[in-house]
Amino acid sequence: MSDDRISLKIMTAGGVMEEGDYYKVVAEGVGGCFGVLPGHISFITPLVPCVLRAGTGRTDEEGEDVFFAVHGGFCEVHDDRVLVLATTAEKRENID
């Protein structure tokens, strides 16, 4: 992993749903929407049903973001790693 990216892992009861390195992750916890960039302080929060956005570019104009529908669960941020333990989650293009 590069120093300017964070590792994202999304897990459900069915196993690992997504694993990759991104420039940013945006989701919504019980306290509101939050964004994670490299070097972020560690925390754990329950998630509300939300759209999780993972940024593939350094800026909003670069790359294409990847979107996931996340339905509850928890998010842990620690050492440039974001771990999402979701009740259910689906990648945007897999939703019909």
Side-chain angles (χ1 to χ4, degrees):
M1 175 176 64
S2 159
D3 288 339
D4 57 351
R5 292 190 190 197
I6 51 179
S7 172
L8 170 65
K9 185 181 223 179
I10 301 175
M11 297 185 68
T12 66
V16 176
M17 199 247 157
E18 172 71 14
E19 194 165 17
D21 294 336
Y22 296 95
Y23 288 100
K24 67 183 173 238
V25 175
V26 178
E28 189 170 349
V30 293
C33 187
F34 62 89
V36 179
L37 296 170
H40 200 288
I41 190 168
S42 298
F43 71 91
I44 297 175
T45 184
L47 294 172
V48 298
C50 67
V51 174
L52 183 144
R53 179 171 58 125
T56 61
R58 292 180 197 275
T59 66
D60 286 341
E61 291 78 29
E62 282 184 23
E64 290 188 32
D65 290 347
V66 181
F67 296 90
F68 303 89
V70 177
H71 303 280
F74 291 87
C75 178
E76 176 189 37
V77 176
H78 182 70
D79 289 338
D80 291 338
R81 287 179 167 71
V82 176
L83 173 62
V84 174
L85 302 173
T87 307
T88 61
E90 291 185 75
K91 209 168 192 176
R92 176 174 63 181
E93 52 267 18
N94 295 337
I95 298 173
D96 55 3

